[in-house]
Every structure is written in C-alpha cells, then in structure tokens.
Amino acid sequence: MKSVLKLIDRIANRVNISLADLEFEARPIIYNMTKPNKFLKFYAFYGVTDHHPLYFHFSNSSLAGSYFFGKCRVDNSVLYKSDIRGDELKEKGDRFHFHGIDFMIEHDESIHIKDSYLNKTLVHSSSHDPEYPELFLIKNTAASPYSNIHGSPCRGVYMGHFSTADFTVIHDCILDRFAYVQSGTLSHKHIEPGRIWVKSGDDFDFSYNFPTEVIDKYISFEPGHKPEGIFMDFITEKRKAFQRIFDVIHIKPHENVPSGTAISRYSVIRGKCHFEDNVLVAQRAYLENAWLGKGANAQENCFIVKSRLEGYNVTAHGAKIIYTQLGKNVFVGFNSFLRGKFDTFVEGKLACPLVIGESSIVMPHTIIDLEEPVTIPPKHLVWGYITNKRDLKKHSIPLEKLADISDGISLGAMKFSGSGKLFVDTFKNRITKILEQNGAHFKDKKLKGHAQKGRNISYNIIQPYSKGPRKGLYPTMDISV
Amino acid sequence: MKSVLKLIDRIANRVNISLADLEFEARPIIYNMTKPNKFLKFYAFYGVTDHHPLYFHFSNSSLAGSYFFGKCRVDNSVLYKSDIRGDELKEKGDRFHFHGIDFMIEHDESIHIKDSYLNKTLVHSSSHDPEYPELFLIKNTAASPYSNIHGSPCRGVYMGHFSTADFTVIHDCILDRFAYVQSGTLSHKHIEPGRIWVKSGDDFDFSYNFPTEVIDKYISFEPGHKPEGIFMDFITEKRKAFQRIFDVIHIKPHENVPSGTAISRYSVIRGKCHFEDNVLVAQRAYLENAWLGKGANAQENCFIVKSRLEGYNVTAHGAKIIYTQLGKNVFVGFNSFLRGKFDTFVEGKLACPLVIGESSIVMPHTIIDLEEPVTIPPKHLVWGYITNKRDLKKHSIPLEKLADISDGISLGAMKFSGSGKLFVDTFKNRITKILEQNGAHFKDKKLKGHAQKGRNISYNIIQPYSKGPRKGLYPTMDISV
C-alpha cells in the first residue's frame, strides 16, 4: 500500500497548491474518502466496441471499481467507483463552433485525468474548452461522491458531494456540495453549497440558492467525517442490490426488450419493469417497478422507482425519481430528487403522487419531496425545493412566459436576467440533442445512438497488485485498436 | 469475423510453408479446431503479481479463454483456451549452462507467440535453446488440444492431440498425437503417433512406441473430423464442472487450507478433498475426492479422482490419476493416464486398485488402465501401456537396475542405450527441481515456490470486439509494471 499512500499524498499536495487562495485543505477530505482496503475489493473495467476510437492508458494509478469507455488516459490518480465515459468525445475532422468561429478538430479528443482523486464521480461528454477542444483534462482535482464532471475540464478543483460542473471550464475553484454550475468559464471562486447557476455570456443568467437548512437536511458534510442526509440514506439503502451484477461475468439479459433498447448489464432491474423501444438504461442505473416509454433514458447513477415515464424522457446522471409520473418529453436534470409518496395517508387517502406534465423541464439539482400530492402542469420550468402546492408557485414558471422575458425576473430565491427566449431555446436544443445522442429516434437502422451502439460492448476487467509495495496500484497499460 | 478468418488463413499458410517437405496441410486441421462463434464465448485473462516481471503485449490476435502469466507477447495468432505460463522464465542476470559453457542472461526472457494457432495448449517453463536463451519463441506453429509445449521453442511445428515437446528446440517438425519428445533438438522430422523418445546427446536414448491400436483406442484423429477415444471421453465428461468457476468473479476460497498451500481459484475441487501443507493445485486442475499429502502438486489440466497421493508427488500437466494410490515422491509424467477400477468385480471382490510404490517414476505419456489390481513396487520406472500384472513386467524396471546399465537394454517395445545412471540421475534431479520450484519444501518463510508465490494473483479479464469486422479479435494491449 506504500505506493498508493504516497500517491494520495502527492494528489493532496497538488490540489492544495491549486486551491491555496481559497484556503482549502484536501487532506481531511481525501484521506477520509475511502478506506485503503477498499482499493483491492472492486475491480475496474473498460468497454471495447467497434463504434468508438479505442485508446486507454493507465499508469501509476489506483482505479478500483471504475469504468472506462472511449479514449481515456489516467496518470498518477486515484479513481474509486468512478465512471469515465468518452463516447461523446470529439473525433478528428469534427467541427467546433465558438462565438461565430468555426474550426476543425485536429485529432481524436481524449479524456486525461492526472494528479487527481475522483470518488464515485461521473466524467462524461466532451471538453467545452475552446482553447483545447481535443483534450478533456482533469488535473489537480479532488471530487467527492456523486459529483458530475460533465463536459467540464477541471484544473485545481474541489467538487463537493452531489455537485455538478456542466459545460464549464473550471480553474482553481471549489464547487461545494450540491452546487451546480453551467457558466462557460469559472476561475478562483468558491461556489457555496446548493447554489444553482446557469449563465451564458451576456445572453442570460439564472441563479438560485437552496436554503442552508435544506441542503444540510439532504446532504451535510464535515471534512474528516462521513457525509450524511436524505441523499446518502436513500443511496445506502439501495446500494447492496448492485453487488450481484459485479460478481458474475455473464448476466442473463433482461427478457422482452425491443431491438432498439439497451439495458446495461451493469444496471439493476428489479420488480416489474417495462421497456418500450429505443430506451437506454446506462450502467449503475437502478430501476424498480419502472415503466419506460419509447425513447426514454435512465442515465448513470439514476434511480427510477415505482414510476412511469411516458416516453422521450431524459433522466440525467444521478437523478432520482420515486412514486412519480412523467409525461412525454419531460426532462429531469442532474442529481434531481423527485419523490412522491404512496405510503402515507393524506386526507384519508393512501396517495401522495407527483405528476409532471408533458415537456416540462426539471432544472438540475431540483428537490421535489412531497408532503401532499402535487401536479406540475405541462411546459413548465421547475427548480429549487418543493414539498407542496404552495412551494410550486414560487419554484415554477410556464416556459412560454419565461420565453417572453427580455430583461429579468425574480421569483422566491430565483433570479433571472437576460433573454428568456435564449434560455428556453438553449435548454430545448440540449434536450433534443441528448435524445438524438441516446438513440431515442432510432428507426430502420438510422439515427443510431448510445442505446443501439451500446448493445455490443465487451467488458474487460482489470485488477491491482494484491501484495507488495505496489498493492492497490494497477499495472501500466496501453490499449488501442 | 472477417479479420479473424483472414488471420487463420495467414497462420495456415505459414505453417504449410514450414512443413512443406513433410507434406503437411494445416487447413483441414486448423479450420476444424474451433467453431468461430466460440471465439466470443470465453474471456481471456492474465495474472498480475509482484513476484514476477510483468509484461504483456497482444496484437492482432484472438485469445479466447486463454490465460497468461509472466512475460508474454502474442502477435498475429489465434489462441483458444491455452495456458501460457511465463513464471519460470529466466531473468536478467541468471546464469545459463550449456555443454560446460556458462553465460549470463542479458535481459528478462519472454514468451513470444507469433503466427501460430494454439488450441488448449500449455506453454510453460523457459526456452531451452542455448542460442536464444532470452526468447521463448513459438512461430508458424499449430498445436492441437491438450498438447504441451514445455520449455521448447517451436518454429514451424504441428503438435498433435496430447503430444508433448519437452525441453527440445523444434524446427519444422510434426509431433503426431500422443508423441513425446525430449531430445535437445529436433529438425525436419515426423514423430509418429505414440512415440516416446528421451535422448540426451550421447549420454542416453530411451525409446518406446505404443502399438497403433492402443493409440487409436485412446486418441484417434482424422483431419477434418473431431478427435475421438478414451482420453476425449474422459475429459468431455468432466468439462462442464469448469463452467461455474469461469462465470463468477470471486470464488469462495476452499476451507481448511494450510498456509503454504495454494489452490487456484480456476481449479475444480469436488467431493471430499484434503490438502496437507505446501500443496499446489494449478488452474484448470480437476480434483474429486482427492487426498494430497505434503508438498504434492497437481499441475494444469491434470485430473485426480478418488485417489490418494502421500506427499511430494508431481502430477505433471495433463496427467490423469483415477482410483490410484501413490506413495511418497512418486512422479507422474505429462499426459499419463492412470486408472484403477473400483466399480468392477474382480474375483468376487469389488476392487481393482492401482498402487504405486514410493519414489517410482511414471514416464510421461504412460497409460495404465487396469483390468485387474496392480501394484508397482517402490523405486521403479514404468512406461508404455499396462492393463495387468503381466504387462507390468514388460513395462517396468527397478531404478537401481537401470542405473547399472552402461551399454543398453531392450524390454518389450522399449529400447534403451547409453548410461542408465545418467538417465536416472537426470530424472531425479528434475523431480527435485520441480518440487523446489513448486514450493514443496517451504518452511519458515524460506524456500518459496509457486504454491506460496501464487497465492496473491490478481486476475484481469480481457474480451474481444463483439461486432464489426474485428469481431473475435482483441484490442492491441501493452501492459507493464
């Protein structure tokens, strides 16, 4: 274990140097993330398919339980149960657009994780750094469990629990727990817990801050201690179900799955689940008594429990949907927590469902945790913290109304400035693109996406040295076509 | 599958060119060895440990079901359920002795398999080629199931079913089924089926030919058809037991195993088995109601069924021991088939055991398949085909008597010339070395061998492309410390 401990120390040093002006101390956080004996307990694995350029390089790293797909390079890093998906990286010859400038991608992009510690972190999409479009670099970065690094190159970043960096180039920043940023660039800032911030240059700026007591109730964390709260309780309860799928080489495929639908062999499917065509269920997704309509997707780390999704739904990474009915085209953003209740009596009736109408958009990091039945009408934007009908009024707006706004609006803790139309259009375009990428519209062998391309992945299992000074480290590997 | 089929064709061409003067045609043999869909069915895997130099390189090859350990390089080859063990390769700085000349090994040796097709073949030990001691090369070679390439570099070789090349440098030769050679070098020869040949320069020459009808009964083969006979029937019956151990990631370790003993998680242990200390059970060994005394070993592809081994026994690769009692220090050579019977009535008694006395040597490729009880006295050499007491007389000799022979002796179909003493001493030295290498004498953390070093192997699983033109081929890989 000597080499692994030395490596962890090296990473802590580098993160500390990067975050010195924010007075960040990585050690009590990194040292408590994982018990060293866990580094031996879970194998790492990578996917091989002829649909994507294949290149993996691993050196001087510990990779326990992590999954790699697409082109990835990991040096001097500790990854634990992370999910590094490079299947949306740019390829040589692709076009890249930035502020009216259009240029060509010189060589296949790759994800490069260096001098970093990622714990149960998702790394996904492709670099949104116009200066380095061929390199999705994560360096001197420590990321806590259930954080998402989505299309966001990170240099010198601490990601708190359940935080998300989305399409943002981040340099020397702290994203505290459950914070969400999508702001183009971010430098030398501490984004406080539960801040939701979507900014696109001078076009628009959406901002919301969760009340501190709500954040603490759902996810609280003190360096040197374990994270606590409703999010952790919920995940801990379901975690055991994953053990079996990692213990066996071949899993019996789920029956009655339409030909355009893909259900990862590393997902958990329990109870009575139903899948229409062109559905994508990603690895580490958890489904229990779930009904997924045509073109719906369930992305990594999401949970869909006793819920019905009518079709063309996006359930983004880490979203949790419980006792909920979603109309067609409803989008549920990263790490959202939507929980109706069927197990409590409300006004004499055993029901407290959450119903979300067609084409509504649930902002990333939204918590809807009901104490009474709530129905969100179609074509609404919702955000923040909602437990009842009264909350809903202060945390939702019809998309049409929002699109009419040209200067600004405040509603509860939400502040919006800029063009509502650009905001709504940007969101809608993104949802359209996600559905396309996932293969929701696949027909007659055309419009293939992840659901269709992901049906023939071979999984390769790698393990660390189990004894000696290199215990816990993985051998150096180069894997290519 | 296009690339794999092209690759097979390339290999067949190269083997044919090498064996042109022996009028060998590889295609009907290679094409019938494996059904292409099987290339996808079984994962390949390699071992990682800090006890051995680590280097693997795989390119343009299909490796289904194969295992790799130590330094191995595979290019343009098809390996199917083969076992390539480089844990006895020479290391930089080792001394190599040949005909009184002593020199130093320049760099770590590696196994290099090129343009070859190996099917259920074992490759083991280290190169015995004094010209290239740092390279264990297998090139333009086609090897049939259950053949052993033991310390024998092969260029242009066809290995028949259950044949063994032992410590021999082979160039453009056919080793027909169940043939065994240990002759230093061999060039442009066709070794007929069932020929057992041990030759050491001018020192000694041991030779025995099985009767054709015996070989046909135990292993018959026509190019273009499946191999048949008692060997195949026996293995086919047991084969299914291996499925489970390859299907799961973690196997519950066998209980009550002494600290110096290693039982591979890729072995099958059935019924009531007992293990004393310093026992080695290698991968793909099959044990059923077996009692293994201190320092005994069960090597790859061996079967020990309802038998007792008193201790310090060597059960070489592919040996089968059924209803047999072995005294201490008994050596059973490659692919031997020893079968007593407990299920037939002999003179009113339900017993027909095979008993082999202490320190006896069963030559490689010996068949003892009893129709009446037979006891082989201690310190005897046995060979050939034995079914009853009468056969034994013509197929055994006391080691002491053999050591006294200085010119020659014939006994039945066996011919021996040269020094009996050198022959016996060479054999005894080799048995001593095997026991040492396997860790039979391990005590107080000293005299470690495979049994002790093999306790902490991490297994890494690799799989081929499952679709597209490269279907069945493995990605290119470089793996090092």
Side-chain angles (χ1 to χ4, degrees), chain A residues 49-50 54 246-249 456 458-468 470 475-481, chain B residues 50 54 246-249 456 458-468 470 475-481:
Chain A
T49 149
D50 64 333
L54 181 72
F246 286 96
D247 273 354
V248 297
I249 301 283
N456 291 289
S458 299
Y459 294 100
N460 288 251
I461 288 173
I462 50 179
Q463 302 218 46
Y465 288 95
S466 64
K467 251 201 145 174
R470 295 179 65 78
T476 303
M477 287 181 220
D478 271 284
I479 295 140
S480 60
V481 178
Chain B
D50 65 332
L54 180 72
F246 285 97
D247 273 355
V248 297
I249 300 283
N456 290 288
S458 299
Y459 293 100
N460 289 254
I461 288 174
I462 49 177
Q463 301 218 46
Y465 288 94
S466 64
K467 252 200 144 176
R470 295 180 66 79
T476 303
M477 288 180 218
D478 271 284
I479 296 139
S480 59
V481 179

Side-chain angles (χ1 to χ4, degrees), chain B residues 340-361:
Chain B
K341 279 203 186 94
F342 266 66
D343 50 356
T344 49
F345 283 89
V346 177
E347 292 168 16
K349 277 163 66 191
L350 186 76
C352 182
L354 170 62
V355 178
I356 304 183
E358 195 173 320
S359 300
S360 276
I361 296 172

Side-chain angles (χ1 to χ4, degrees), chain A residues 3 57-61 463-465 467 469-478, chain B residues 46-57 70-71 108 478-481:
Chain A
S3 305
H57 170 90
F58 307 120
S59 80
N60 193 38
S61 295
Q463 302 218 46
Y465 288 95
K467 251 201 145 174
R470 295 179 65 78
K471 184 174 168 181
L473 280 189
Y474 283 62
T476 303
M477 287 181 220
D478 271 284
Chain B
Y46 58 86
V48 171
T49 150
D50 65 332
H51 280 295
H52 301 97
L54 180 72
Y55 177 68
F56 299 106
H57 170 89
K71 294 187 111 172
D108 287 349
D478 271 284
I479 296 139
S480 59
V481 179

Side-chain angles (χ1 to χ4, degrees), chain A residues 123-422:
Chain A
V123 179
H124 198 170
S125 192
S126 67
S127 166
H128 276 59
D129 187 349
E131 291 185 69
Y132 301 97
E134 290 94 355
L135 175 65
F136 187 167
L137 178 66
I138 295 165
K139 194 174 154 33
N140 299 8
T141 290
S144 305
Y146 311 110
S147 57
N148 300 304
I149 298 176
H150 190 256
S152 301
C154 292
R155 269 188 307 136
V157 178
Y158 167 64
M159 303 276 301
H161 296 78
F162 296 92
S163 66
T164 300
D166 194 12
F167 293 170
T168 303
V169 180
I170 311 189
H171 182 210
D172 297 351
C173 286
I174 293 171
L175 243 71
D176 225 316
R177 57 195 200 280
F178 208 51
Y180 172 91
V181 289
Q182 183 192 335
S183 66
T185 58
L186 203 65
S187 183
H188 291 271
K189 284 211 165 54
H190 182 155
I191 305 293
E192 57 268 52
R195 171 150 201 223
I196 313 303
W197 188 28
V198 183
K199 183 179 185 301
S200 175
D202 297 328
D203 291 344
F204 53 79
D205 188 326
F206 173 105
S207 167
Y208 172 85
N209 281 59
F210 275 87
T212 308
E213 64 275 16
V214 171
I215 291 300
D216 287 347
K217 189 172 145 192
Y218 284 88
I219 178 69
S220 70
F221 175 65
E222 286 296 328
H225 298 270
K226 277 187 169 185
E228 287 178 348
I230 290 172
F231 290 167
M232 294 310 299
D233 295 344
F234 178 82
I235 288 174
T236 306
E237 189 200 312
K238 309 283 184 197
R239 198 186 285 157
K240 272 196 179 162
F242 283 90
Q243 197 174 316
R244 201 188 74 89
I245 60 170
F246 286 96
D247 273 354
V248 297
I249 301 283
H250 298 289
I251 287 264
K252 214 180 132 208
H254 198 77
E255 281 169 14
N256 303 321
V257 172
S259 64
T261 286
I263 298 175
S264 166
R265 57 84 76 231
Y266 285 105
S267 63
V268 167
I269 311 294
R270 302 187 115 182
K272 229 179 163 173
C273 289
H274 173 86
F275 306 98
E276 295 282 302
D277 211 358
N278 300 348
V279 164
L280 173 68
V281 179
Q283 59 272 20
R284 297 183 206 269
Y286 176 103
L287 273 64
E288 185 184 331
N289 296 318
W291 196 103
L292 269 69
K294 190 169 179 179
N297 69 56
Q299 297 182 12
E300 285 85 347
N301 287 357
C302 83
F303 294 80
I304 303 177
V305 178
K306 294 171 187 160
S307 294
R308 182 179 170 107
L309 285 64
E310 285 301 332
Y312 302 105
N313 304 85
V314 175
T315 307
H317 306 289
K320 291 147 203 89
I321 299 176
I322 308 126
Y323 287 126
T324 299
Q325 274 175 260
L326 301 183
K328 274 196 181 153
N329 279 300
V330 168
F331 171 89
V332 179
F334 289 104
N335 281 353
S336 285
F337 186 82
L338 313 184
R339 183 162 67 172
K341 280 204 185 94
F342 264 66
D343 50 356
T344 49
F345 282 87
V346 177
E347 293 169 14
K349 275 163 66 190
L350 187 75
C352 184
L354 171 62
V355 179
I356 304 183
E358 195 172 319
S359 299
S360 277
I361 295 172
V362 178
M363 285 288 286
H365 291 220
T366 297
I367 301 177
I368 310 181
D369 199 4
L370 296 189
E371 55 189 30
E372 66 171 2
V374 165
T375 295
I376 295 165
K379 296 179 187 168
H380 272 58
L381 185 82
V382 288
W383 63 87
Y385 183 53
I386 299 165
T387 63
N388 53 40
K389 289 164 191 157
R390 201 184 53 229
D391 290 340
L392 181 61
K393 284 180 192 157
K394 278 192 178 174
H395 296 88
S396 67
I397 188 168
L399 290 171
E400 210 174 336
K401 189 178 165 192
L402 180 58
D404 274 348
I405 288 161
S406 57
D407 44 355
I409 187 175
S410 285
L411 196 56
M414 187 277 275
K415 280 183 185 62
F416 181 83
S417 63
S419 160
K421 188 174 182 321
L422 281 176

Side-chain angles (χ1 to χ4, degrees), chain B residues 88-221:
Chain B
E88 290 179 358
L89 293 173
K90 297 181 273 295
E91 293 183 24
K92 187 181 170 174
D94 285 354
R95 309 301 303 187
F96 191 77
H97 314 275
F98 184 72
H99 286 300
I101 302 167
D102 173 284
F103 58 96
M104 203 179 75
I105 298 303
E106 269 180 20
H107 56 80
D108 287 349
E109 183 183 359
S110 71
I111 295 172
H112 191 169
I113 300 168
K114 218 176 155 181
D115 310 310
S116 293
Y117 195 131
L118 310 186
N119 190 320
K120 295 179 186 163
T121 302
L122 289 181
V123 178
H124 198 170
S125 192
S126 68
S127 166
H128 275 61
D129 186 349
E131 290 185 69
Y132 301 97
E134 290 94 355
L135 176 65
F136 187 167
L137 178 66
I138 294 164
K139 193 172 155 31
N140 299 7
T141 289
S144 305
Y146 311 110
S147 57
N148 300 305
I149 297 177
H150 189 258
S152 301
C154 293
R155 270 189 307 136
V157 178
Y158 168 65
M159 302 276 299
H161 296 77
F162 296 92
S163 65
T164 299
D166 194 9
F167 293 169
T168 302
V169 181
I170 311 189
H171 181 211
D172 297 350
C173 287
I174 294 170
L175 243 72
D176 224 315
R177 59 195 198 278
F178 207 51
Y180 172 92
V181 288
Q182 183 192 336
S183 66
T185 58
L186 202 66
S187 182
H188 291 271
K189 284 210 165 56
H190 182 152
I191 306 293
E192 59 269 47
R195 172 153 199 217
I196 313 304
W197 189 28
V198 182
K199 184 179 185 298
S200 176
D202 297 329
D203 291 344
F204 52 79
D205 188 327
F206 173 104
S207 166
Y208 172 84
N209 282 57
F210 276 86
T212 309
E213 65 276 13
V214 171
I215 291 300
D216 286 347
K217 189 173 144 190
Y218 284 88
I219 177 69
S220 70
F221 176 65

